[in-house]
């Protein structure tokens, strides 16, 4: 899987990364907020308890909030 550990300056609040290809998967990542204090990560609509994204077929939607 892919481990997400964001360290994004607050001035990049609302950052979106689309069509990021990694190991045969296409990721669409949205980060609402800024800084390194991520409180929630959603993966294809499901809340995750860690920052390790599972591997699933098809496109992947990741939403991070702080």
């Amino acid at each position: 899987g892919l481990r997400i550990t964001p360290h994004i300056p607050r001035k990049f609040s609302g950052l979106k990364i689309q069509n990021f290809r990694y190991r045969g998967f296409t990721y669409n990542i949205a980060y609402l907020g800024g800084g390194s204090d991520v409180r929630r990560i959603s993966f294809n609509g499901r809340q995750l308890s860690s920052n390790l994204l599972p591997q699933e077929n098809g496109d992947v939607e990741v939403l991070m909030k702080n």
Side-chain angles (χ1 to χ4, degrees):
L2 178 65
R3 186 171 304 276
I4 292 188
T5 309
H7 294 278
I8 300 171
R10 291 209 179 271
K11 67 181 178 181
F12 290 107
S13 178
L15 176 72
K16 290 184 180 181
I17 302 169
Q18 296 181 325
N19 298 318
F20 174 68
R21 304 248 333 134
Y22 180 74
R23 294 188 178 179
F25 298 96
T26 301
Y27 291 88
N28 294 303
I29 301 170
Y31 186 27
L32 306 177
S36 61
D37 185 23
V38 173
R39 294 194 178 129
R40 288 189 293 184
I41 300 175
S42 297
F43 176 84
N44 286 343
R46 297 186 319 262
Q47 180 92 16
L48 295 180
S49 59
S50 75
N51 64 344
L52 180 62
L53 304 179
Q55 294 181 348
E56 288 187 3
N57 292 329
D59 290 352
V60 176
E61 296 289 331
V62 179
L63 177 62
M64 298 179 289
K65 295 180 183 178
N66 64 350

